[in-house]
């Protein structure tokens, strides 16, 4: 896959005074049917428990496209983006006193679920399922607006982080310190695709050495699941996609073979021909009803289907219940790779630095903020792999 480097200089210069309201430039979704705009915005200095971050990179994920295509019920106007890395540039009052707090100059990856740390699910170690995640209402913290249009209109920020902005103010729990040796463009993907996909393979599915694994859908998330399956020691990893270029890429990041998806019956037969019997694991990384149903049919009796791709809000799927109950197999849903960001991000970054996660291979384009519409068009056409906005 060719790496297009079409970055242009930003129109706005980064601010360096964060003690008073400061300016930034952001991608804003204007509500159903009203598309995107790229605007100058005004940020408040960070409040207690918050930090200001100068963003370095933000990936473009299919979940962003779901919002733009009105697949989900989301508040608007909303600063887009939930997959980003940056540098802490200012601390809110009181931040820095706890040893785990971020400091100015720290490199951080932003988490789209920042666990509250107080609910029973957090206490059980399932922070990804937190009952009251910080940023869950698409604000910096509950009811807290830190970013506005220049006319004063309050803006939501996607999942409390809104990474498609030159700067952002986020809760400290959402800013996870990571090793700066991993280039920021690669680190940004740890915020969603890598944690979602690698985590699904390692932590939700629990793939074991020697397992046979099928991954359906080879975008940023599915390719990350391929990397995770390879890291877990799967003996065979079969990538499935409608695009030959995605199969080629999957082979570069750990797949042992690929199946070009055509119609469902042919695809099912082609996958079965590649497997000895049926696979131990199937990971679905698209979120389509047809491929979710295909995944549940493919897995061996007693095996595990892991659903990663997020469907439209109104999607349903059918199961052949008699066969399914007899099969003794499992269907599990994977939210954020069953990962707790503050522990998972540094581990995944270490894996990448050590050469065990070829994140760079799945970055097809580095783009400017102004090119984001074109990036979404390319994603609709199933072109490229991960496209990443790079902030200068
Ligand atoms: N059969 C096989 N492959 C398909 C099909 C299909 N019917 N339809 C789409 N694909 C492939 C595309 O060619 C593409 O490679 O699925 C891949 C989807 O990749 P992206 O659009 O890049 O999506 P990604 O960002 O990886 O997200 C995947 O996970 O987090 C969720 O909301 C996200 O639902 C989305 C999913
Ligand atoms: Zn995402
Ligand atoms: Zn919680």
């Amino acid at each position: 896959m060719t790496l297009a480097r079409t970055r242009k200089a930003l129109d706005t210069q980064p601010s360096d005074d964060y003690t008073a309201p400061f300016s930034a430039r952001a991608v804003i979704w204007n509500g159903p049917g009203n598309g995107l705009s790229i605007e100058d915005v005004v940020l408040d200095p960070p409040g207690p428990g918050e930090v200001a971050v100068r963003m370095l990179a933000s990936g473009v994920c299919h979940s962003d496209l779901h919002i733009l295509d009105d697949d989900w019920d989301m508040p608007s106007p909303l600063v887009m983006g939930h997959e980003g890395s940056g540098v802490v540039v200012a601390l809110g009052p009181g931040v820095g006193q706890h040893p785990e707090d971020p400091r100015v100059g720290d490199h951080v990856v932003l988490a789209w679920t920042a666990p509250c740390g107080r609910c029973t699910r957090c206490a059980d170690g399932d922070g990804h399922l937190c009952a009251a995640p910080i940023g869950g209402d698409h604000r910096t913290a509950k009811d807290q607006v830190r970013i506005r249009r220049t006319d004063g209109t309050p803006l939501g920020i996607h999942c409390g982080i809104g990474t498609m902005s030159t700067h952002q103010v986020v809760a400290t729990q959402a800013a996870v310190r990571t090793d700066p040796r991993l280039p920021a463009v690669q680190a940004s993907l740890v915020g969603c695709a890598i944690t979602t996909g690698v985590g699904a393979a390692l932590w939700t599915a629990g793939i074991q050495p020697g397992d046979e694994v099928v991954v359906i859908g080879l975008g940023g998330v599915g390719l990350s699941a391929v990397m995770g399956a390879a890291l877990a020691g799967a003996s065979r990893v079969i990538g499935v996609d409608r695009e030959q270029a995605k199969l080629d890429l999957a082979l570069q990041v750990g797949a042992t073979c690929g199946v070009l998806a055509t119609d469902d019956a042919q695809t099912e037969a082609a996958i079965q021909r590649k497997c000895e019997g049926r696979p131990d694991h199937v990971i679905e990384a698209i979120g389509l009803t047809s491929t979710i149903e295909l995944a549940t049919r493919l897995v061996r009796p007693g095996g595990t289907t892991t659903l990663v791709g997020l469907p439209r809000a109104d999607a349903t799927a059918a199961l052949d219940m008699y066969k399914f109950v007899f099969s003794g197999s499992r269907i599990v849903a994977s939210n954020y790779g069953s990962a707790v960001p503050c522990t998972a991000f540094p581990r995944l970054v270490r894996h990448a630095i050590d050469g065990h996660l070829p994140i760079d291979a799945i970055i097809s384009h580095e783009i400017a903020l102004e090119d984001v519409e074109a990036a979404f068009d390319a994603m609709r056409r199933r072109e490229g792999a991960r496209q990443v906005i790079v902030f200068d």
Side-chain angles (χ1 to χ4, degrees):
M1 197 143 305
T2 45
L3 184 69
R5 295 190 188 259
T6 59
R7 293 200 273 131
K8 288 177 273 183
L10 277 177
D11 295 343
T12 43
Q13 289 304 310
S15 313
D16 52 13
D17 177 11
Y18 305 100
T19 57
F22 59 97
S23 66
R25 195 156 171 81
V27 179
I28 298 169
W29 176 64
N30 294 302
N34 293 322
L36 301 176
S37 50
I38 298 172
E39 297 180 31
D40 289 329
V41 294
V42 181
L43 278 149
D44 285 340
E50 297 168 359
V51 293
V53 177
R54 182 167 67 81
M55 297 305 300
L56 296 174
S58 172
V60 181
C61 174
H62 204 114
S63 294
D64 305 311
L65 186 56
H66 278 302
I67 294 173
L68 183 57
D69 286 348
D70 307 333
D71 289 346
W72 299 338
D73 185 20
M74 297 292 282
S76 61
L78 185 75
V79 177
M80 296 280 279
H82 63 279
E83 180 179 87
S85 62
V87 177
V88 174
V89 287
L91 308 179
V95 177
Q97 290 170 10
H98 191 281
E100 292 298 314
D101 279 349
R103 308 293 165 99
V104 170
D106 278 349
H107 281 236
V108 289
V109 172
L110 302 189
W112 56 252
T113 290
C116 75
R118 295 170 54 189
C119 70
T120 51
R121 292 178 210 155
C122 282
D124 279 344
D126 291 330
H128 61 291
L129 303 177
C130 174
I134 298 157
D137 64 348
H138 306 290
R139 303 285 181 191
T140 296
K142 192 158 175 47
D143 301 330
Q144 297 297 307
V145 175
R146 291 278 177 264
I147 185 164
R148 292 179 175 77
R149 286 199 151 107
T150 48
D151 68 4
T153 314
L155 295 166
I157 56 176
H158 189 207
C159 291
I161 56 175
T163 57
M164 291 185 187
S165 176
T166 57
H167 300 72
Q168 198 49 273
V169 172
V170 302
T172 51
Q173 293 91 332
V176 179
R177 285 187 291 177
T178 52
D179 191 327
R181 284 178 298 161
L182 186 69
V185 175
Q186 295 184 46
S188 69
L189 269 57
V190 173
C192 184
I194 292 292
T195 300
T196 302
V198 177
L202 294 183
W203 301 314
T204 316
I207 291 170
Q208 297 296 310
D211 278 348
E212 194 169 46
V213 181
V214 170
V215 178
I216 306 176
L218 301 171
V221 175
L223 288 166
S224 301
V226 167
M227 289 183 210
L231 194 63
S235 60
R236 204 170 279 180
V237 183
I238 299 155
V240 182
D241 201 284
R242 285 201 178 242
E243 301 296 325
Q244 181 61 45
K246 302 293 178 74
L247 303 184
D248 298 342
L249 205 44
L251 293 179
Q252 283 181 42
V253 300
T256 52
C257 66
V259 168
L260 193 63
T262 49
D263 72 70
D264 285 348
Q266 277 186 21
T267 305
E268 189 168 350
I271 295 169
Q272 280 175 6
R273 278 198 298 277
K274 299 273 185 190
C275 301
E276 277 174 25
R278 287 173 173 271
D280 303 294
H281 286 273
V282 181
I283 296 177
E284 201 279 353
I286 310 169
L288 291 175
T289 296
S290 62
T291 45
I292 289 171
E293 291 173 349
L294 170 65
T296 61
R297 287 198 302 273
L298 279 171
V299 77
R300 72 161 166 81
T304 302
T305 304
T306 303
L307 303 182
V308 182
L310 281 168
R312 288 172 50 96
D314 56 0
T316 57
L319 262 186
D320 185 335
M321 287 312 303
Y322 181 81
K323 276 192 189 162
F324 178 68
V325 175
F326 254 91
S327 75
S329 61
R330 301 191 310 147
I331 301 176
V332 291
S334 182
N335 179 324
Y336 220 164
S338 305
V340 178
C342 66
T343 56
F345 288 2
R347 283 179 192 203
L348 292 168
V349 165
R350 257 196 320 270
H351 271 314
I353 290 170
D354 291 348
H356 304 308
L357 287 177
I359 302 178
D360 204 30
I362 69 168
I363 297 169
S364 57
H365 300 76
E366 291 181 13
I367 63 170
L369 197 68
E370 273 67 18
D371 298 327
V372 72
E373 292 264 19
F376 284 122
D377 288 342
M379 186 178 273
R380 285 194 189 92
R381 294 192 302 269
R382 302 198 295 260
E383 285 173 18
R386 213 36 152 208
Q387 306 177 81
V388 183
I389 299 166
V390 180
F391 302 94
D392 289 312

